[in-house]
């Protein structure tokens, strides 16, 4: 699903246009966000694409939503 990542004064934020959802990124698998998972403040987890160099923000990327334990 397409998500937009942007930098805000509070930190990194993800916007999911399909769901009209704006949430802060509260936890990441890797320190630079890319190539691992990212957890949003609502509990959703996305597999983030990998880049050789960190892209300039804001950026829209294709990320796959991962199932979480709360959804079982």
């Amino acid at each position: 699903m397409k998500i937009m990542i942007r930098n805000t004064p509070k930190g990194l934020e993800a916007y999911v246009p399909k769901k009209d959802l704006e949430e802060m990124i509260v936890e990441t698998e890797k320190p630079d966000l890319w190539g691992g998972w990212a957890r949003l403040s609502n509990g959703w987890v996305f597999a983030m694409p990998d880049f050789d160099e960190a892209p300039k923000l804001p950026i829209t990327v294709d990320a796959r939503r991962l199932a979480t334990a709360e959804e079982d």
Side-chain angles (χ1 to χ4, degrees):
M1 115 179 4
K2 299 257 187 221
I3 63 172
M4 184 185 80
I5 306 295
R6 67 179 178 170
N7 213 347
T8 70
K10 296 178 187 176
L12 290 175
E13 182 179 72
Y15 174 65
V16 184
K18 196 171 189 177
K19 302 289 184 182
D20 194 28
L21 177 75
E22 241 178 290
E23 297 286 338
M24 298 302 296
I25 296 174
V26 295
E27 187 179 4
T28 60
E29 179 180 7
K30 297 187 176 183
D32 65 353
L33 176 67
W34 308 111
W37 52 260
R39 184 179 315 277
L40 306 186
S41 56
N42 70 348
W44 287 11
V45 179
F46 286 95
M48 302 302 288
D50 196 11
F51 293 101
D52 291 335
E53 292 183 22
K56 289 185 179 182
L57 300 178
I59 187 172
T60 299
V61 297
D62 274 319
R64 186 171 43 90
R65 187 169 167 211
L66 304 174
T68 59
E70 296 85 32
E71 295 172 357
D72 293 342

